[in-house]
Amino acid sequence: MATPITQRKDFKWLLAGGWILANHAGYLNVVCLMDHQAVGHTTGLMGNSALQIANQQYVDGIYNIFVVLCFMVGCCITGLFTGCGKFHLDSRFGIIIIVEAILILSSFGIVHSSATEFNKWAFPLVAIASGMQNAMCTTFSGAVIRTTHTTGTSTDIGIVIGQWLRDITYRRAIGKSERAERPSCMPHPMSDRWSSPSLEVTSSTLNW
């Protein structure tokens, strides 16, 4: 049985870190929205891109789709770093936060040191950083299949791709003879259950 979060030894650190990350995400979202561009709200981005394409604003529509893909790349990076192990405070998450900080500082550098027409390239960097942070929190809290909340769905897809890449790298490193000694993050193609410490999907969950 899983230990309640309030009884974890690192609960105070998790609470403080969660508060800081929540404020950080809100700050980034508001700053980007002031320039009329969302980065972490992929539901709105996909809806907006659909309207733009329908109105023959193809460049703007494709750009919003690109921002969503950058968000998923950030989730993939986190999944690649964390694998399918249970969450605990270690250097992996420190590396994720450092990379996220570098991306955000780079985006601010683009905005303050380049011409206005190049500012749009700052948003994909912020989207990658937001995806990394969202995936890191999802790895801790667990994930479920969502059908109307595409931010969560994009996060799930990015994490799974990252875990899949990590699994492939591990398998190549240990060789065929040792594959059976470590459970894979990925399910068997004929299995009707997807199970890992961070992601769990069953056939009864898919109610589209």
Side-chain angles (χ1 to χ4, degrees):
M1 184 176 179
T3 303
I5 184 173
T6 54
Q7 297 181 12
R8 289 178 57 120
K9 295 181 179 179
D10 54 0
F11 171 69
K12 293 182 180 180
W13 290 103
L14 292 174
L15 184 63
W19 183 84
I20 293 172
L21 291 176
N23 279 272
H24 174 256
Y27 172 79
L28 286 179
N29 198 37
V30 170
V31 168
C32 292
L33 286 175
M34 289 174 66
D35 203 8
H36 308 288
Q37 177 64 53
V39 292
H41 181 43
T42 63
T43 304
L45 279 170
M46 292 302 294
N48 194 30
S49 65
L51 288 174
Q52 290 168 334
I53 292 174
N55 293 326
Q56 299 183 349
Q57 299 173 351
Y58 300 113
V59 175
D60 293 335
I62 293 174
Y63 178 77
N64 280 329
I65 294 175
F66 176 68
V67 172
V68 173
L69 292 176
C70 288
F71 182 91
M72 293 176 62
V73 167
C75 300
C76 178
I77 293 172
T78 294
L80 184 61
F81 271 102
T82 60
C84 60
K86 292 183 178 180
F87 177 91
H88 57 279
L89 296 176
D90 59 21
S91 59
R92 296 176 300 169
F93 296 94
I95 293 173
I96 293 171
I97 293 176
I98 291 173
V99 173
E100 181 184 345
I102 292 173
L103 290 169
I104 294 172
L105 290 174
S106 300
S107 67
F108 287 162
I110 292 174
V111 171
H112 291 290
S113 64
S114 63
T116 305
E117 59 267 22
F118 292 103
N119 286 356
K120 64 180 181 180
W121 297 109
F123 295 115
L125 296 181
V126 178
I128 294 174
S130 298
M132 292 179 67
Q133 177 175 318
N134 199 38
M136 181 174 64
C137 297
T138 301
T139 302
F140 164 67
S141 62
V144 294
I145 294 297
R146 284 149 288 209
T147 58
T148 59
H149 180 39
T150 63
T151 301
T153 303
S154 301
T155 301
D156 296 341
I157 294 173
I159 293 174
V160 169
I161 292 175
Q163 291 179 343
W164 175 66
L165 292 173
R166 179 186 176 94
D167 190 70
I168 289 178
T169 303
Y170 185 87
R171 285 173 177 269
R172 289 180 178 177
I174 64 176
K176 296 182 179 179
S177 61
E178 299 180 6
R179 288 183 181 180
E181 297 180 7
R182 175 182 179 272
S184 171
C185 296
M186 303 303 295
H188 190 277
M190 299 303 293
S191 173
D192 63 348
R193 182 178 181 86
W194 184 306
S195 179
S196 76
S198 61
L199 295 173
E200 183 174 351
V201 180
T202 63
S203 56
S204 60
T205 313
L206 304 177
N207 296 321
W208 294 305

